[in-house]
Amino acid sequence: MSNRQTIDARNTFCPGPMMELIAALKQSEIGDEVEVLSSDKGSANDIPAWTKKVGHQVVSAEEHADHWAIVVKKMK
Amino acid sequence: MGTRILILGSGLGGTIVANGLARRMPAELRAGDVTITVLGATPKHMYQPGLLYVPFGRAREQELFREERTILDRRINFQVDPAAQIDVDNNRVTGKSGKVYEYDYLVIATGSRLAPESIPGLKEGAHQFYDLEGARKLRDALQAFNGGKIVVNVNAPHKCPVAPVEMTLMLDEHLRSRGLTDKFEITYTYPIGRLHSLEPVAQWAVPEFDRRRIKTQTFFNTASVDPEQKTITSEEGDTLPYDLLITIPPHRGAQVIEDSGLGKMGWVPTNPKTLKREGSDNVFVIGDTTSIPISKAGSTAHFEADTVIENITLLVQEGRWSRDYDGKVFCFIETGMNSGTYVWFNYHTPPKPTPPTQMVHWFKLAYNRMYWLSACGLL
């Protein structure tokens, strides 16, 4: 059964949302989902681009008032 | 029976907490109302940032070590008996020796460890400088290096976030000073789409790397290393050849954390403000051990330790909370052999590094000596 974990990386500057996502995916099983909350616009753009390039799946990417919520599914 | 404070780990965080508590509760310690015990893995304390200088022959190894017993306040009970099992439900820790330590307050500061074995070929094919043995081997490799392709490879998660940039710039300067200009090529790889997770540092690094003709490969998460063919390949599908590979390996938390069921990969879920373990009211977590999405760095451990000292002291003395951790992190950044800058930030203030100067480099060199005052709780 797949799991979902949420990383609240809003207003964190180092290592930042995308590094946290990469680290979280390493500790996840295939099929698990990681939700990243990010207030960093750069990460909000980079995360979907990287996810597709590396072969994982963007489940959803929503823009809220002060942050983005991006859910990534580990595919390999 | 008095209040028993047990601290796991005798690195910077654990040592500062122990000394800070001892300094704030002298009367309680004298009366036996409070006891402070530290469980460490080794009798020696190492100044980890000093490892950056070892590969370049710029640090004497004995300068990096002191006896932990000489750093700790004499009223602290120090045991070289690393935790083997942490039972937060019953407020007890079993040491590697089999001895059981019961506590009223627990501080987990067991740090992180290198995990190069998690990437096929990385341990066999790459050098690293994040422990003394690795730094020594890299020093030997650099002495024997007379030209070729060098890859500086960064993996997530890792501690000391600016060390890879520092290593790259110092390496470039070191090789040029050896007369190898035009005989070597450095490629720096980074997991995300810029050169450093701190955006201002990444922006500053671009022209600096360009000026030095250091090549870069972003979005590079290491999948494997082939030590025979001397190539490194990323999850993203890129392969780079190398003559010398220097890696910052991915890190994990302490094995005891995983063995005790306290957190995946050894990171303990921790409240970012109270620094309490999620689900516990008397267990604090600091330094690399936490799951908090901020830098794993000595300064983080230091500022977190200051918060925990204040809170445990007031809980013991007055039964009330003192203050929350504000997320403060401070890092020196060596930008070469003779210049440096610094950066600080917290949960509310973004980082704004200043232009590098020789003065900041001297401050960093001075701090290399003053570190021991920090550990003693005096700075």
Side-chain angles (χ1 to χ4, degrees), chain A residues 12-15 20 26-27 50, chain B residues 156 197 236 265 293-295 346:
Chain A
T12 63
F13 305 106
C14 183
E20 293 293 341
K26 282 184 181 176
Q27 68 186 37
W50 173 79
Chain B
S197 51
E236 293 81 1
M265 305 289 276
I294 58 172
S295 309
N346 62 23

Side-chain angles (χ1 to χ4, degrees), chain A residues 3 5 7-9 11-16 18-20 22-23 26-28 32 40 42-43 46 49-50 53-54 76, chain B residues 156-157 161 190-194 197-199 219 221 235-236 238 250 264-265 267 293-295 345-347 349-351:
Chain A
N3 296 307
Q5 66 166 306
I7 301 167
D8 188 350
N11 299 315
T12 63
F13 305 106
C14 183
M18 188 162 170
M19 290 284 266
E20 293 293 341
I22 291 168
K26 282 184 181 176
Q27 68 186 37
S28 301
D32 285 353
D40 172 43
S43 296
D46 284 352
W50 173 79
K53 183 176 182 183
V54 84
K76 65 179 190 179
Chain B
Y190 205 69
I192 63 174
R194 57 193 189 216
S197 51
L198 282 168
E199 193 164 9
F219 287 128
N221 288 277
E235 299 274 1
E236 293 81 1
D238 297 304
K264 273 187 180 178
M265 305 289 276
W267 314 126
I294 58 172
S295 309
F345 50 93
N346 62 23
Y347 293 144
T349 312

Side-chain angles (χ1 to χ4, degrees), chain B residues 156-194:
Chain B
H158 73 90
K159 65 183 169 186
C160 206
V162 295
V165 172
E166 293 177 302
M167 164 54 69
T168 304
L169 298 176
M170 291 170 76
L171 178 63
D172 176 70
E173 204 161 314
H174 173 78
L175 295 176
R176 288 177 191 277
S177 72
R178 281 185 49 203
L180 294 175
T181 305
D182 299 329
K183 292 183 179 173
F184 70 93
E185 175 188 286
I186 299 175
T187 302
Y188 169 93
T189 78
Y190 205 69
I192 63 174
R194 57 193 189 216

